[in-house]
């Protein structure tokens, strides 16, 4: 099964994608993670996108489509979870073409619905393990008291530079202007499924699993 997790910043896409990777052997393709990797390793492209990401603007379609193209070839395990891609109609139509070329198709587009006020709280409290990427939240999923990641044991928690109020406000505007039209696009393709992203992490997991097993 190949699915898209669609939703604004902080909706829980990364958290849910990681769970599906662990329980189902699916492959997570997060353009945000790929771009941050490029930035951290100081590649040409990484340097070019750093400022754009810090502001909370979208990176060009060409760059992210190029990143995804490279990943669709190889072994995609029990299926792909697109996390944070596509974010524009142009990316969505490019994805369709790339999937066609590989003889693959999309099975569902799952929208995680969360109110804006809650997104602000989620982003403000977010941290991740620098070693394995496990996602934490100061209130809803606190870092273990012993200071070590519950998944890999590393003591290297990080906060994202773009998880500040100004950048988040901009990321939300970008989402409503450029990404939310995808909801109509995928609804028209009969792929859209909606999940209440305000529920507890485990409840959201169960809703997504029910969709995958249907
Ligand atoms: P979040 O987890 O908050 O939704 P991501 O990690 O997915 O954020 O993305 C972080 C940043 O990377 C975005 O604000 C944007 O600058 C860039 N980015 C990630 N994916 C895309 C994409 N598909 N198209 C354009 N820009 C992207
Ligand atoms: P996204 O990838 O969509 O930007 P994340 O998965 O990084 O979102 O989640 C954003 C923050 O919200 C993280 O700190 C995460 O621990 C927390 N979070 C995710 N899902 C839930 C949930 N259902 N209830 C409460 N907090 C959540
Ligand atoms: Zn870890």
């Amino acid at each position: 099964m190949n699915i898209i997790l669609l939703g604004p910043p902080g909706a829980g896409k990364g958290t849910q994608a990681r769970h599906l990777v662990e329980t189902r052997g699916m492959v997570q393709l997060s353009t945000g993670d790929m771009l941050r990797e490029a930035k951290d390793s100081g590649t040409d492209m990484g340097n070019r996108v750093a400022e754009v990401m810090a502001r909370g603007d979208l990176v060009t379609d060409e760059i992210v489509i190029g990143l995804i193209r490279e990943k669709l070839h190889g072994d995609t395990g029990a299926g792909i979870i697109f996390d944070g891609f596509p974010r524009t109609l142009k990316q969505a139509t490019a994805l369709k073409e790339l999937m066609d070329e590989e003889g693959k198709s999309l099975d569902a587009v799952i929208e995680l619905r969360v109110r804006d006020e809650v997104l602000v709280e989620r982003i403000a409290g977010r941290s991740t393990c620098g070693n394995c990427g496990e996602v934490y939240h100061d209130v809803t999923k606190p870092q273990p008291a012993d200071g070590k990641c519950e998944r890999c044991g590393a003591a290297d928690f990080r906060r994202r530079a773009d998880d500040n109020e100004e950048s988040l406000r901009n990321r939300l505007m970008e989402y409503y202007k450029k990404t939310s039209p995808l909801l109509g696009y995928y609804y028209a393709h009969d792929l859209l499924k909606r999940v209440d992203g305000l529920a507890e992490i485990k409840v959201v997991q169960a809703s997504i699993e029910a969709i995958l097993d249907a």
Side-chain angles (χ1 to χ4, degrees):
M1 283 205 108
N2 301 308
I3 64 168
I4 294 174
L5 294 180
L6 193 59
K13 304 179 297 294
T15 300
Q16 297 300 331
R18 292 178 63 79
H19 177 73
L20 293 172
V21 168
E22 264 175 33
T23 57
R24 303 202 171 216
M26 295 174 81
V27 176
Q28 175 188 12
L29 293 186
S30 158
T31 42
D33 286 348
M34 294 176 208
L35 290 166
R36 274 185 293 278
E37 252 165 52
K39 200 173 57 136
D40 292 346
S41 52
T43 64
D44 253 12
M45 185 268 278
N47 294 333
R48 269 185 287 137
V49 299
E51 255 182 60
V52 177
M53 290 175 74
R55 274 201 307 272
D57 290 339
L58 291 187
V59 169
T60 64
D61 290 330
E62 288 67 29
I63 289 180
V64 288
I65 292 166
L67 288 171
I68 288 289
R69 177 181 285 121
E70 287 172 26
K71 305 279 179 173
L72 290 189
H73 265 329
D75 179 12
T76 49
I80 305 169
I81 309 153
F82 294 98
D83 162 12
F85 179 92
R87 267 171 147 101
T88 63
L89 279 170
K90 185 153 178 220
Q91 291 176 24
T93 51
L95 176 60
K96 172 86 175 78
E97 279 171 27
L98 291 173
M99 296 285 276
D100 283 349
E101 281 169 23
E102 296 290 329
K104 297 182 163 111
S105 62
L106 279 176
D107 297 285
V109 176
I110 301 176
E111 179 197 5
L112 294 175
R113 275 180 307 147
V114 177
R115 287 195 310 274
D116 284 7
E117 315 87 78
V118 177
L119 295 174
V120 176
E121 288 164 18
R122 287 200 183 168
I123 295 283
R126 170 161 68 183
S127 61
T128 53
C129 171
N131 181 51
C132 77
E134 187 70 6
V135 187
Y136 292 90
H137 188 277
D138 296 342
V139 178
T140 60
K141 196 184 179 232
Q143 296 167 8
D146 65 0
K148 291 184 182 152
C149 174
E150 66 182 28
R151 188 157 173 276
C152 76
D156 178 19
F157 298 107
R158 299 180 186 187
R159 289 188 194 265
R160 276 168 49 178
D162 60 343
D163 278 353
N164 60 73
E165 212 182 311
E166 197 185 331
S167 166
L168 174 64
R169 223 179 300 127
N170 199 33
R171 276 148 73 200
L172 273 176
M173 288 307 291
E174 290 280 86
Y175 178 79
Y176 290 118
K177 275 192 289 192
K178 298 174 183 166
T179 307
S180 67
L182 298 185
L183 297 170
Y185 174 83
Y186 287 120
Y187 175 80
H189 285 77
D190 207 16
L191 287 170
L192 189 68
K193 310 280 179 205
R194 299 196 161 109
V195 165
D196 175 13
L198 289 168
E200 279 175 31
I201 293 175
K202 289 224 153 56
V203 176
V204 178
Q205 268 167 20
S207 311
I208 293 175
E209 277 164 356
I211 291 170
L212 296 186
D213 293 335

